[in-house]
Amino acid sequence: MKRRFLNKQWKSVRLGLAAAALAFCTLGVQAQDQSQHSNPNVRLGQKALLDGDFKAAAGHLQKALPSEANDPDVQYLLGYSQFHNGDYSKAIETFKKVIALDAKHTSAYYYKGKASNNLAVASGSKLTNAVKEQLLKTAIEDYSKAIAINANDAKLYQNRAIAYRDLGILTGTSGAANYDKTKAADAYGKAVTDYEKVLTYDASRKDIQTEVKKAKVYRDNLK
């Protein structure tokens, strides 16, 4: 029963940040239902998410473990909360658990990819370029796995394009320890391909049109 409840309540949340507000409003109405999760910490976590308090949500959902450790929906909500707290390393580990429990959990791949990308490009990061490069490659792999499950989600192509672009910037910076012109050119080319895929869903997107032009300029000006 609790699994059906979570699946129903959080289906919209899995669509990503753009749908989160709508999902929370929906949950506020559905909270009047008689259906309640049996774990009080999960209920408190859901309420905190409704209130936009991701720190409190993560705390409550963490307490729901290990009794709910085998429930991918509870693990997903924990990872989702950690991601929005900026705890990207923790979120990555949690989303790995979600995927181990549900190999076709598209949103877990999506947020795991975003978390890896965010770590790779964080300002002031002390990570080596080699580690950053691996994070970006992991992000690309996660988006690709999500696309293999759902090939019609424009945001997956857009975020993979961003990861490819960032990989191009990282490996195409002259003087960097991991500078590789061929690798950078390939990454920019794949970014262009993914951005152009996004335009097949909405050709009017000026932001994506601009990104295509920028990626081509970066690629063509590699030294």
Side-chain angles (χ1 to χ4, degrees):
M1 178 178 177
K2 68 180 182 182
R3 182 67 178 272
R4 289 198 304 271
F5 172 75
L6 279 169
N7 285 338
K8 177 183 177 183
Q9 301 286 30
W10 293 101
K11 184 177 181 181
S12 296
V13 177
R14 290 179 176 180
L15 298 178
L17 270 174
L22 176 60
F24 292 157
C25 291
T26 301
L27 280 168
V29 174
Q30 292 177 339
Q32 299 174 18
D33 257 342
Q34 292 183 349
S35 299
Q36 291 287 330
H37 196 284
S38 61
N39 190 310
N41 282 305
V42 174
R43 295 199 300 271
L44 288 170
Q46 291 173 330
K47 183 180 184 304
L49 282 171
L50 280 168
D51 295 336
D53 189 342
F54 297 108
K55 184 176 181 179
H60 292 306
L61 291 164
Q62 189 67 56
K63 290 178 182 177
L65 305 179
S67 62
E68 306 297 335
N70 292 323
D71 189 326
D73 294 301
V74 174
Q75 291 278 15
Y76 173 76
L77 295 183
L78 174 59
Y80 183 86
S81 301
Q82 292 168 332
F83 177 89
H84 289 295
N85 284 327
D87 294 332
Y88 299 126
S89 294
K90 289 182 179 179
I92 288 169
E93 293 306 311
T94 302
F95 288 129
K96 285 181 181 178
K97 294 175 183 177
V98 177
I99 292 165
L101 293 166
D102 181 359
K104 293 188 177 182
H105 201 302
T106 309
S107 288
Y109 287 116
Y110 172 74
Y111 278 109
K112 181 172 174 287
K114 285 181 71 70
S116 294
N117 202 336
N118 288 350
L119 281 176
V121 301
S123 60
S125 172
K126 296 181 180 180
L127 297 175
T128 65
N129 278 3
V131 172
K132 292 177 181 178
E133 183 175 342
Q134 186 55 52
L135 283 168
L136 290 170
K137 288 180 177 177
T138 298
I140 290 166
E141 290 172 1
D142 285 330
Y143 293 131
S144 296
K145 289 175 182 177
I147 288 169
I149 299 167
N150 181 5
N152 294 310
D153 190 337
K155 76 174 182 295
L156 297 177
Y157 294 100
Q158 181 175 342
N159 280 273
R160 190 171 67 175
I162 291 169
Y164 275 128
R165 179 205 65 192
D166 290 341
L167 181 60
I169 293 171
L170 183 68
T171 58
T173 301
S174 182
N178 62 335
Y179 172 76
D180 188 322
K181 180 178 179 179
T182 300
K183 189 183 293 184
D186 180 67
Y188 283 130
K190 289 177 178 176
V192 169
T193 298
D194 274 347
Y195 280 132
E196 289 177 340
K197 178 67 175 180
V198 176
L199 290 175
T200 66
Y201 293 96
D202 184 356
S204 68
R205 289 191 59 177
K206 300 296 185 183
D207 59 327
I208 301 301
Q209 293 172 19
T210 298
E211 291 300 326
V212 169
K213 293 176 183 178
K214 286 166 60 177
K216 288 181 177 179
V217 169
Y218 293 154
R219 180 191 60 195
D220 296 341
N221 284 278
L222 285 169
K223 297 179 179 179

